[in-house]
Amino acid sequence: MGSNIIDSSQMGDTILAVLPKFIGDAINTLPALELLKKLYPTQRICVLVRPFMVGLFSRAEHYGCELILDKRYCEKTQYGVFDMIRELKSYNFSMAILFRGSFRDALQIKLSGIKTIVGYAQNARSPLLSHALKLNQCEHYIHRYCKLINDPHGQPFKQFNAPTLRPRELEPFISNKRNIALYLGGSVKGARFYPQDLSEALLQRIKSQHDANLYLLGAQSEHADMDSLKCDLERKGVTVTNLAGSMSLEELVDTIGMMDVMISIDSGPMHIAAACNIPCIAIIGQGTSPWSIVAPKTDSLIALHHRSMSFSESQMIRDVSPDKICQALQKAINA
C-alpha cells in the first residue's frame, strides 16, 4: 500500500466506488459503503454499478449513495470503454475505491484521471493504484471490502455493521398461512443446483408438514426448470407458485422480505434474505467460493453443509437431504 495515510479532510466533493458484478458480492460491499459515508458525510459517494443492479440499490437508499450506470452493459446502447472514461472524467472524482479486483477496471479508473485509487494488489494492477493493499484470501468478503476503507485511512474504525436492505411492503400475502420461498437454482447453476428429484421430495414433505404457501424463485433462465418442478408437483396434488423470471430485482427483494422463511442454495437470494433479516436455510454444496468467506453474518441463517465423499461436484449437494432441510425449517419456525 502507498505509504501515505489518506486525509479525508483533503479530499474533494465526489468519491467513486466500483462495485462487484454479482448480487451477493454487491450486498457485501454495503458495510464498507457505510464506513465511507461516515468518513465523508458531506461528499457525493457515487457507485458504479451494472444496470441490473439498480433495483437492488433502490432498497439500499439508506446508505446515501448515488448510482452511476456502467452503460457498457446496457443491452440497447453501444457504449464503449472510452465513452465510460469520458463520463467518469466529467465527475472530477477525488478518489476511487475498487471493490472489484479486475485489471480492466483499474486501468479504466486510472485513465479517468483519478489520482487516489484504492484496491487490492492483484491481477498485475499494483502500478495503477495509489494504495495497493495486500489481499488475504482467507478473509471474509465483507472484511475485505471494509479494509479497503479502513486501512488506507489509518484504521479509524474498530468494527462494522452487517449489510441491510429495506424491502417495501407488497399487497399482503394470505395471512392465515406461512409463506415460504425457495430458491433452488436451475441447471444454469451447475453443481449448486438442488436436483429436481430432491426438490420435488422436499416440497412434498414441507406441504405435508406445514400449512404454507410455497413460492419458487429464480431468474428467467431458471423459469423452465421451476415450471417443470411445479407441473410434477401439481400432478401429485402439491400446489406451488412459480415466480421465477417474473420479477425485477427490487420486486425480488420485496417478495423475500414478505416471507416467513427462505430456503436457498448459496447464491444472491440467500444474501438478500440475510440482509432483509428473514430466517434462511442455506443448502451448501460445492460453491464458487469457500463458505467461510461468503457466509452471511446473521444469526437468522441455518447453513446445511454437505458431507459427501464423492469426487463428483454435482453429487455433493445431494448429501443435503430433504429430511435435513425440513428439520432445519422446523427449527427456524420455532425460533
Side-chain angles (χ1 to χ4, degrees):
M1 187 177 76
S3 58
N4 294 328
I5 298 297
I6 297 174
D7 183 351
S8 59
S9 67
Q10 300 302 310
M11 283 294 152
D13 294 333
T14 54
I15 294 168
L16 177 67
V18 180
L19 262 63
K21 63 180 180 179
F22 297 116
I23 291 172
D25 293 338
I27 290 172
N28 282 337
T29 66
L30 295 175
L33 292 174
E34 183 178 34
L35 297 183
L36 191 61
K37 192 63 179 177
K38 287 179 179 179
L39 284 170
Y40 299 95
T42 61
Q43 279 93 333
R44 292 171 68 192
I45 308 296
C46 300
V47 293
L48 182 64
V49 298
R50 301 196 179 204
F52 83 93
M53 205 82 75
V54 171
L56 180 72
F57 277 82
S58 69
R59 303 304 185 256
E61 294 174 336
H62 49 291
Y63 287 96
C65 297
E66 177 182 329
L67 300 186
I68 300 175
L69 298 187
D70 193 336
K71 300 185 186 69
R72 294 174 297 167
Y73 301 98
C74 289
E75 293 181 0
K76 297 181 180 180
T77 62
Q78 293 183 338
Y79 207 77
V81 172
F82 291 104
D83 296 309
M84 198 71 241
I85 288 171
R86 281 192 292 271
E87 181 177 346
L88 293 175
K89 278 186 176 180
S90 70
Y91 284 86
N92 193 29
F93 290 113
S94 59
M95 178 172 63
I97 309 293
L98 305 185
F99 290 127
R100 286 196 69 209
S102 78
F103 178 88
R104 184 179 179 181
D105 279 351
L107 180 60
Q108 176 178 265
I109 296 305
K110 186 71 173 180
L111 293 176
S112 300
I114 303 173
K115 302 299 184 184
T116 303
I117 306 174
V118 180
Y120 280 109
Q122 58 186 143
N123 300 323
R125 63 188 195 155
S126 293
L128 302 173
L129 308 175
S130 65
H131 294 70
L133 280 68
K134 183 179 180 180
L135 177 63
N136 182 347
Q137 297 280 3
C138 295
E139 283 184 326
H140 194 284
Y141 272 81
I142 298 180
H143 283 84
R144 296 183 192 185
Y145 298 144
C146 287
K147 287 183 74 171
L148 286 174
I149 309 302
N150 200 39
D151 286 8
H153 288 88
Q155 300 181 340
F157 301 106
K158 299 301 182 185
Q159 62 184 41
F160 53 83
N161 296 316
T164 60
L165 295 171
R166 294 178 180 172
R168 296 177 186 173
E169 286 193 16
L170 300 172
E171 289 295 319
F173 284 53
I174 299 173
S175 59
N176 62 339
K177 293 185 178 183
R178 286 192 176 91
N179 295 298
I180 301 173
L182 300 98
Y183 177 62
L184 304 169
S187 54
V188 294
K189 289 296 184 182
R192 285 185 290 162
F193 174 35
Y194 197 62
Q196 183 147 333
D197 62 321
L198 296 185
S199 296
E200 188 175 328
L202 170 63
L203 285 153
Q204 285 182 280
R205 190 165 302 184
I206 293 173
K207 201 69 172 180
S208 69
Q209 295 176 354
H210 303 279
D211 186 18
N213 301 307
L214 303 179
Y215 301 91
L216 301 176
L217 306 182
Q220 183 61 50
S221 59
E222 295 158 329
H223 176 82
D225 287 316
M226 293 304 102
D227 210 46
S228 175
L229 176 60
K230 177 179 182 291
C231 291
D232 287 346
L233 286 163
E234 286 180 343
R235 283 193 287 269
K236 297 180 179 180
V238 177
T239 301
V240 298
T241 302
N242 180 15
L243 298 177
S246 67
M247 295 180 291
S248 64
L249 187 50
E250 58 264 44
E251 289 170 334
L252 177 63
V253 174
D254 296 342
T255 299
I256 291 174
M258 290 287 288
M259 293 295 119
D260 293 296
V261 183
M262 175 84 182
I263 299 172
S264 177
I265 61 171
D266 175 10
S267 196
M270 174 192 71
H271 289 281
I272 291 174
C276 292
N277 199 31
I278 299 301
C280 183
I281 296 151
I283 306 170
I284 313 301
Q286 179 71 359
T288 55
S289 299
W291 175 251
S292 63
I293 65 173
V294 298
K297 290 182 175 293
T298 174
D299 292 332
S300 61
L301 182 135
I302 301 172
L304 302 178
H305 298 268
H306 81 84
R307 298 290 186 268
S308 174
M309 301 297 181
S310 174
F311 284 116
S312 171
E313 291 185 0
S314 63
Q315 288 296 311
M316 293 176 183
I317 200 166
R318 298 187 66 88
D319 185 63
V320 185
S321 68
D323 185 56
K324 291 178 183 176
I325 297 171
C326 285
Q327 289 175 16
L329 175 61
Q330 189 62 56
K331 182 178 179 180
I333 289 172
N334 292 339

